[in-house]
Amino acid sequence: MSSSPVPFSDAESATGQTITGVVQAANGAARHNGVEAINQAFRLKLALGTAIKLAPGRLTESNTLLQPLTTAGMDVVATEVLCARHFNTPLPEALPEAIAWLDETLRHVCQVNRCAVFLYDDERDLYLHLTNESGEEATLNQLSDDSLQAFLGTEKLVHGHLLYGQELLGLLAVADKTDGTEFDADDELRLDILGPYLAATLVTFRRLKANALLSTMQRTVLAISSQLIKAVDQENVLSITLEAFGTRLGFDACQYIQRLDDTLGGNSSNGEVLLECVEGKVTSVMHAGLKDKRHSVTEFDALIGLFQSSARPQPYLLLPGTALGSQPMAEKFSLTLNKGQTVKNTLILPVLDPATGRIRGTINLYRLSEKAVEQGTLDLAQELIGLVSLALSRVMVLEMALEMASTDELTGLTNRRGFYDRFEAEIERARRINSPMCVAMLDVDYFKKINDTYGHLNGDAVLHQLGQVISHRLRKSDLVCRFGGEEFAILLPDTKFEDAAELLDRIRAAVAEKPLKALEGNDIPVTVSAGLSKVVIPGLKEETKPGSVRSHGVIGNALESADKQLYLAKSNGRNRVCATCE
């Protein structure tokens, strides 16, 4: 049932009896009820204020009481107009300028010196604060009066939730009124009026931010892709990757950890740290000669198994905190940090073999600050890890092709071309890490006599078997090649001169003690002579002799010196090793 409107002639008596209740109800709604109730109450205030203007003479006794309602109603209208004027203008296209504009506009509309907008991230259940300096996000894990007061540095603040339809976008908090007065119900109302306008603007802002992030991702992916495509080996690919994650994605330390069975060809549940990047400096122990310097990661297969679990929707592990179980994160992954530094956030990404889909290792990314890993960073990291897997697959094929092109068909050893390439790379590595290196020339004694006595096919068999005898007594980091005819060259990185001399004599003795086999199965006694030289590399701390820093000059000098020692060994009766460290 509907009631008839009250005539203005009767309004005076009706208003005199009810106006006090109306005012109290409106103010109570403004302080305690939701947005809709507040709007209803203040629309009533506005209506009563309008009634005063229409019939001031009829309501003279209530003028004193109703005048504040008129002022409040006009304030509502003024706030609505102010919000409409400011927030119906387009946002600046550049993200930092948009954030700065938003901050300035909010402080002006709310008449405060400080404000903070928090966007809700429902995927991570975090509130993200937008700063006006760099556009980066600071996170707030728990939203409460205490956390807001700590964030803004004052207890005198008001805040309101931001809704877009039924969606919770976030929260607006303001502090420190420009006129120095305390916050009251009218300030809360101002925030409620501002809310829908700000929410609509934030939807546009999120779209702008997503576009800006996409543009940043595209530029980053393009820059790293251009570097990866130039990489010629696995170590180069991984070094570029770790540097990029550190400098472009804001991680303080990065590692590449490979399954132990992939590095050694064995079967183990552990992993090995092959590369590490801390403070922009990459350290690699991928070279087989540095095996003893690698750090082991226990139960690595169990960690990899988490990526293969159907219960995990994300292809990454995001581990906030300083420890994994009871073990500190840095200790668990053998991460090299300065004293007092602690890992606060860890992101682990699997590195796949594109051909098999098998996880061959992980890239571990660490932050030493409380700053959480943003969703944009997660998206970009996953994009990059796909590129890394493809780049590794490409260089593995390239390495295989180069190995085939650098292999001697008769012995299966590296040929002279491959030897020179490896020698040059080892020189640069030795110069970089200040490591000693030696080279040897080895020749079969009286090889022409072997060919004449047993035939050329058996001569080939002798060379093949000799290559195996030498290889089995070398480390994986060493290199033996068939240099030409019956002559072999041996490269010994990370080897002191005295150790190299002992190794060569053991090889000589092994060949002399056990005859090689002819194709028919009969014995062929063989001896070898060898010459050894220390590789003198200008640039090493322990070397002071002048000379060219060009690698081919170093190679030529070293081989010439070793060849002279070989000639000396043959001149002195053969089946011996002559060496010089000069």
Side-chain angles (χ1 to χ4, degrees):
M1 180 181 297
S2 61
S3 59
S4 301
V6 179
F8 264 104
S9 58
D10 300 328
E12 183 174 0
S13 59
T15 302
Q17 296 172 7
T18 62
I19 192 60
T20 301
V22 170
V23 174
Q24 291 173 347
N27 287 335
R31 288 187 178 89
H32 303 295
N33 295 335
V35 175
E36 186 58 32
I38 292 172
N39 290 340
Q40 288 178 359
F42 275 86
R43 279 198 293 270
L44 179 57
K45 283 187 176 184
L46 183 60
L48 290 171
T50 303
I52 295 172
K53 289 194 170 187
L54 290 176
R58 314 287 280 185
L59 299 170
T60 52
E61 294 181 8
S62 302
N63 256 351
T64 303
L65 185 58
L66 291 175
Q67 193 58 46
L69 292 179
T70 305
T71 304
M74 294 305 104
D75 287 344
V76 170
V77 174
T79 301
E80 290 271 3
V81 171
L82 189 62
C83 291
R85 185 171 70 245
H86 282 286
F87 288 98
N88 285 330
T89 58
L91 277 172
E93 293 185 4
L95 191 59
E97 284 81 356
I99 295 175
W101 176 88
L102 194 59
D103 180 76
E104 182 180 355
T105 302
L106 288 173
R107 285 189 284 109
H108 173 67
V109 172
C110 298
Q111 300 173 25
V112 295
N113 293 316
R114 283 178 290 173
C115 64
V117 177
F118 295 88
L119 290 180
Y120 179 62
D121 183 343
D122 57 350
E123 289 188 6
R124 291 179 288 166
D125 194 25
L126 293 173
Y127 284 86
L128 309 176
H129 172 243
L130 307 181
T131 68
N132 62 344
E133 286 91 7
S134 61
E136 295 182 352
E137 295 172 337
T139 61
L140 206 61
N141 294 322
Q142 186 177 6
L143 213 56
S144 64
D145 287 342
D146 291 341
S147 60
L148 289 173
Q149 289 167 1
F151 196 93
L152 289 171
T154 179
E155 296 181 357
K156 299 178 180 179
L157 57 83
V158 292
H159 59 82
H161 285 89
L162 302 173
L163 299 172
Y164 189 73
Q166 298 299 315
E167 179 187 2
L168 173 63
L169 290 184
L171 178 140
L172 168 64
V174 296
D176 188 14
K177 291 180 69 172
T178 53
D179 61 7
T181 60
E182 299 288 332
F183 287 103
D184 55 24
D186 289 339
D187 296 302
E188 295 181 16
L189 174 66
R190 186 176 291 110
L191 254 62
D192 287 319
I193 295 172
L194 171 63
Y197 292 95
L198 178 58
T201 301
L202 289 179
V203 170
T204 305
F205 175 83
R206 286 198 308 188
R207 194 176 302 118
L208 178 66
K209 185 180 177 188
N211 292 338
L213 179 61
L214 180 61
S215 177
T216 301
M217 288 178 62
Q218 290 171 338
R219 288 196 301 270
T220 303
V221 168
L222 182 62
I224 296 175
S225 296
S226 65
Q227 291 181 284
L228 290 176
I229 203 168
K230 298 174 186 176
V232 295
D233 57 39
Q234 297 180 64
E235 185 177 33
N236 196 203
V237 167
L238 293 166
S239 295
I240 290 170
T241 302
L242 296 189
E243 271 192 90
F245 277 121
T247 57
R248 293 179 178 272
L249 274 70
F251 289 95
D252 302 296
C254 316
Q255 288 177 314
Y256 173 65
I257 304 175
Q258 189 159 294
R259 298 173 95 150
L260 196 58
D261 56 341
D262 278 12
T263 57
L264 297 182
N267 183 15
S268 173
S269 62
N270 295 340
E272 284 188 323
V273 180
L274 298 187
L275 286 96
E276 187 172 274
C277 179
V278 179
E279 296 179 351
K281 182 181 179 181
V282 177
T283 304
S284 172
V285 289
M286 284 196 73
H287 193 279
L290 301 176
K291 174 188 169 185
D292 58 333
K293 297 183 179 180
R294 296 175 184 170
H295 295 296
S296 179
V297 177
T298 58
E299 301 178 348
F300 188 60
D301 264 2
L303 184 70
I304 286 178
L306 295 176
F307 292 109
Q308 299 161 336
S309 169
S310 59
R312 286 201 54 78
Q314 298 94 358
Y316 57 81
L317 289 176
L318 186 56
L319 306 174
T322 60
L324 188 60
S326 60
Q327 195 172 12
M329 202 70 74
E331 180 183 320
K332 169 65 180 175
F333 295 108
S334 300
L335 178 64
T336 306
L337 295 178
N338 295 326
K339 187 176 180 181
Q341 291 183 319
T342 305
V343 172
K344 302 291 179 62
N345 285 284
T346 304
L347 173 62
I348 302 177
L349 301 160
V351 178
L352 303 178
D353 182 342
T356 63
R358 181 174 180 270
I359 298 176
R360 60 197 305 257
T362 65
I363 287 181
N364 292 17
L365 309 172
Y366 307 97
R367 280 186 178 168
L368 307 184
S369 66
E370 297 286 355
K371 182 181 180 184
V373 180
E374 306 86 349
Q375 186 61 48
T377 300
L378 291 173
D379 295 339
L380 182 53
Q382 292 176 79
E383 183 78 20
L384 292 177
I385 209 68
L387 294 176
V388 172
S389 295
L390 291 173
L392 285 172
S393 178
R394 176 183 61 80
V395 296
M396 288 171 69
V397 172
L398 179 61
E399 288 172 350
M400 193 178 299
L402 289 173
E403 183 179 351
M404 293 175 64
S406 304
T407 301
D408 176 63
E409 186 176 357
L410 174 62
T411 62
L413 302 176
T414 301
N415 60 21
R416 184 184 292 204
R417 173 185 175 180
F419 182 79
Y420 277 120
D421 289 343
R422 171 72 179 279
F423 203 157
E424 187 167 359
E426 290 295 342
I427 288 170
E428 294 307 312
R429 194 179 71 86
R431 180 183 289 117
R432 188 171 67 248
I433 66 174
N434 191 31
S435 175
M437 181 163 54
C438 296
V439 67
M441 299 295 291
L442 184 146
D443 188 82
V444 181
D445 295 332
Y446 302 112
F447 186 68
K448 184 178 184 302
K449 184 178 179 180
I450 293 174
N451 276 334
D452 293 343
T453 304
Y454 299 95
H456 286 277
L457 290 180
N458 278 319
D460 289 347
V462 165
L463 295 177
H464 179 78
Q465 292 174 62
L466 182 57
Q468 292 181 324
V469 171
I470 298 172
S471 297
H472 290 162
R473 284 159 177 79
L474 297 178
R475 304 166 302 177
K476 286 189 175 183
S477 57
D478 302 329
L479 179 67
V480 57
C481 88
R482 185 187 177 198
F483 205 69
E486 70 273 21
E487 198 169 37
F488 295 81
I490 304 174
L491 183 63
L492 302 169
D494 303 301
T495 306
K496 295 179 180 179
F497 180 76
E498 298 78 10
D499 296 336
E502 291 180 9
L503 172 64
L504 277 180
D505 199 58
R506 288 198 300 271
I507 293 173
R508 179 206 60 77
V511 174
E513 288 170 6
K514 187 176 182 180
L516 302 180
K517 295 292 183 180
L519 294 175
E520 298 81 8
N522 54 308
D523 291 344
I524 302 178
V526 176
T527 62
V528 295
S529 300
L532 174 68
S533 174
K534 184 177 182 180
V535 181
V536 179
I537 306 173
L540 287 182
K541 294 178 182 178
E542 62 183 33
E543 300 295 350
T544 57
K545 296 181 180 180
S548 171
V549 297
R550 296 177 63 85
S551 295
H552 67 264
V554 174
I555 294 172
N557 293 337
L559 290 176
E560 182 181 3
S561 178
D563 198 50
K564 286 180 179 178
Q565 295 302 309
L566 173 61
Y567 178 79
L568 187 61
K570 286 184 172 293
S571 299
N572 289 341
R574 293 181 170 82
N575 190 24
R576 67 187 62 241
V577 175
C578 289
T580 179
C581 61
E582 296 180 357

